[in-house]
Amino acid sequence: MRSLLGLCFWALTMGSAVACAPEDALPLAADAPEPQAFLRLEPPPLAQPFSMELWLCDGTVTMIDATMPAHQHGMKYAPRLVALGDGAYRVEEMLFHMPGLWQISVTTDRATYHYDVTLP
Amino acid sequence: MIWRLALCFALCPAVAPAEVLLNQAEIDKVLLHGPWPHMPATDPSNRVSGNPDAIALGEALFNDPILSVDGAFACASCHDPQGGFTKAEPRAQGRVLLPRNTPALWNVSQHRWFGWGGDSDNLWAASLLPITAPDEMAHTPQSLEAALTESAYAEAYVALFGPVDQDALVNIGKALAAYQETLVTGPTAFDAFRDALERGDLAAAAAYPETAQRGLQIFLGAGNCTFCHSGANFSNGEFHDAGVPYFLSTTEVDPGRFDGLQNLRESPYTLDGPYSDDPEKSGAWAVRNVRQTHSDFGTFRTPSLRNLNATAPYMHNGSLPDLDAVVRHYNEIDLERMHTDGEAILRPLGLSEREIGDLVAFLETLSE
């Protein structure tokens, strides 16, 4: 009985980090200790608008953007954030206008998350 | 016999078999610059896009000085069909010397933004701007309406658009756009090379000159050209500082994209506006979401590199007379001229004379 309770407690605590996002969603690197944000996107097209899906286990998105750190510039267009409820978002009209490494930044009221994407 | 063989070896140059010089990573990048030609779908914001009658009317108007208030200019006066739809002068000559080089119109429908400063987000809006510009064709909407009503084009116009009224300016822009959408260049030596690589035919690909291949390797690699000159049309369609001075005189500057965005926001002729025929406003996301920053000042739209052999001189002010000058500009770029808060991409390339020649040879293969 005690071991069963322990097993349930472990499942609840260890599973909660991904309970807010689909299994195939990718965790975003964060300034916080554990990933609380996940995204899913297809390989972005070059110089064409694209969308991605975002899930937050904790907090609310306040800003989303992307930059090319090596080139010291960001996107030419402001993306559109659509809140779907329960921490889920769709981010539309992102556009990467150059090939190379882009860093997506998701800022919430709790932490800032990053995800790197390289366009060929 | 022996002396004949010796003479042959002395006089006949050693001929190495042609080969593909690019590695697989470079080949993968090459494939992203095609296929070509790319015929875009009709423009939903222009209800006569793709309409043969509108194309015919547009072509006729393009070549007719009726679109000037006094008959001084036709569109073709600057966008010369015999001259690559541009002129050989560095800057366009309207009623005064204009600040910028006449943009060539080949493949113009491939763009997202139109004009060196991106004052328009669609081709029909870009086409009507010179018609009412005081320093160019100088019509008012009223004078244009009157001229059209009295012209031989009235019947064709009415069949397409209905009665000639206050929408004549926009509708003429749409007919002109329908014509310009047909201006598409054909495949080039580079495209034959690219297509051969795609189908794995290295023997056919090896026919592409080695000097052009070496130039292409520079273009894809050390030259960093593909950051801006990407895709099948060799342009990302965006605005950058290429280190070309934007001073028009000691007291005047060309603000480029910064003013272009201002004009765009004030224009009723955008894809988000009332004159778009697209009920979905499918292309309007760009004008709604585009950012304006200080670093936009003095930036200009990345031109396509296709058909360059017909469209000299180059850059927004036509300051570079030929492709050799263009490559040398980037090879020796003055970083002191670059925006301090701008992109950190361009740097002097340090190419040798041979490499400069190779890069020029590659660029020349982007023309038919």
Side-chain angles (χ1 to χ4, degrees):
Chain A
M1 184 60 177
R2 192 182 290 178
S3 60
L4 181 60
L5 285 171
L7 184 64
C8 289
F9 179 77
W10 175 85
L12 284 169
T13 54
M14 296 307 294
S16 63
V18 296
C20 69
E23 285 187 3
D24 62 343
L26 302 168
L28 276 70
D31 301 334
E34 286 186 8
Q36 294 292 305
F38 300 82
L39 67 73
R40 187 164 61 190
L41 79 163
E42 297 297 320
L46 178 60
Q48 295 297 324
F50 67 93
S51 299
M52 62 185 192
E53 298 164 289
L54 183 66
W55 292 269
L56 288 189
C57 302
D58 188 29
T60 306
V61 175
T62 59
M63 188 174 70
I64 185 159
D65 211 330
T67 61
M68 288 193 89
H71 296 173
Q72 298 176 24
H73 69 79
M75 294 192 294
K76 297 284 190 178
Y77 306 89
R80 192 158 64 97
L81 187 66
V82 180
L84 303 175
D86 296 327
Y89 300 84
R90 191 172 60 249
V91 186
E92 299 178 340
E93 295 157 5
M94 300 273 291
L95 190 144
F96 293 164
H97 60 280
M98 287 189 184
L101 176 67
W102 287 84
Q103 184 172 77
I104 298 171
S105 297
V106 179
T107 303
T108 77
D109 54 350
R110 308 297 173 90
T112 300
Y113 302 90
H114 304 285
Y115 186 80
D116 290 347
V117 180
T118 299
L119 266 68
Chain B
M1 179 62 182
I2 293 176
W3 70 265
R4 289 192 179 117
L5 285 172
L7 186 64
C8 182
F9 280 118
L11 296 178
C12 301
V15 177
E19 60 176 325
V20 173
L21 305 178
L22 280 64
N23 61 35
Q24 188 58 52
E26 291 167 331
I27 290 172
D28 290 343
K29 290 181 179 179
V30 168
L31 298 186
L32 298 175
H33 288 281
W36 191 268
H38 169 62
M39 295 300 295
T42 55
D43 178 1
S45 76
N46 179 358
R47 66 185 182 278
V48 297
S49 172
N51 181 312
D53 294 332
I55 293 169
L57 176 61
E59 182 174 8
L61 289 170
F62 186 90
N63 291 285
D64 196 318
I66 190 178
L67 293 186
S68 287
V69 68
D70 53 2
F73 307 106
C75 306
S77 302
C78 294
H79 297 283
D80 182 2
Q82 305 307 314
F85 289 93
T86 182
K87 296 285 277 190
E89 289 72 36
R91 287 164 55 180
Q93 183 66 52
R95 295 176 194 275
V96 300
L97 182 64
L98 300 175
R100 299 171 184 168
N101 180 253
T102 302
L105 299 180
W106 286 109
N107 310 313
V108 67
S109 64
Q110 311 273 338
H111 298 312
R112 174 174 295 126
W113 303 106
F114 299 82
W116 285 107
D119 296 55
S120 303
D121 67 349
N122 65 80
L123 185 52
W124 48 268
S127 300
L128 63 83
L129 283 182
I131 297 174
T132 55
D135 290 340
E136 299 185 57
M137 301 165 106
H139 260 302
T140 65
Q142 296 75 23
S143 64
L144 180 68
E145 185 181 335
L148 180 61
T149 301
E150 296 165 8
S151 76
Y153 302 113
E155 185 177 343
Y157 177 96
V158 170
L160 282 166
F161 299 108
V164 180
D165 58 15
Q166 69 273 11
D167 289 340
L169 175 63
V170 172
N171 290 335
I172 285 175
K174 291 180 177 177
L176 290 169
Y179 163 59
Q180 293 169 81
E181 289 170 353
T182 68
L183 303 177
V184 180
T185 58
T188 67
F190 165 77
D191 296 302
F193 174 66
R194 180 225 167 257
D195 293 348
L197 290 175
E198 185 172 56
R199 61 178 186 266
D201 187 348
L202 294 184
Y208 191 55
E210 289 193 359
T211 179
Q213 290 193 50
R214 291 192 300 268
L216 176 53
Q217 289 176 306
I218 296 169
F219 186 88
L220 297 172
N224 284 337
C225 311
T226 55
F227 284 125
C228 300
H229 292 286
S230 58
N233 200 28
F234 288 87
S235 167
N236 64 3
E238 294 296 340
F239 301 81
H240 304 282
D241 174 15
V244 177
Y246 50 81
F247 285 90
L248 298 171
S249 68
T250 55
T251 56
E252 292 178 284
V253 296
D254 185 345
R257 180 55 163 169
F258 193 87
D259 269 18
L261 283 170
Q262 202 61 38
N263 296 333
L264 193 69
R265 295 189 199 291
E266 296 169 359
S267 171
Y269 303 122
T270 70
L271 294 177
D272 200 25
Y275 295 100
S276 168
D277 297 320
D278 181 7
E280 305 296 323
K281 301 273 196 273
S282 53
W285 64 270
V287 66
R288 290 175 188 152
N289 299 351
V290 66
R291 289 167 159 160
Q292 184 176 32
T293 66
H294 177 262
S295 60
D296 288 319
F297 198 94
T299 63
F300 300 90
R301 199 195 68 209
T302 307
S304 166
L305 299 182
R306 289 192 174 270
N307 212 38
L308 289 178
N309 292 354
T311 60
Y314 307 107
M315 315 310 272
H316 74 274
N317 57 1
S319 58
L320 299 179
D322 51 41
L323 293 178
D324 183 87
V326 172
V327 173
R328 290 182 189 278
H329 165 78
Y330 286 105
N331 196 39
E332 302 155 11
I333 199 161
D334 183 357
L335 296 180
E336 293 296 317
R337 290 188 179 276
M338 307 294 290
H339 289 5
T340 55
D341 61 345
E343 302 164 340
I345 300 172
L346 298 179
R347 67 194 189 307
L349 299 178
L351 300 177
S352 67
E353 287 299 314
R354 184 197 185 197
E355 289 171 324
I356 290 172
D358 288 341
L359 188 47
V360 170
F362 160 66
L363 293 173
E364 290 174 341
T365 69
L366 299 180
S367 298
E368 293 181 77

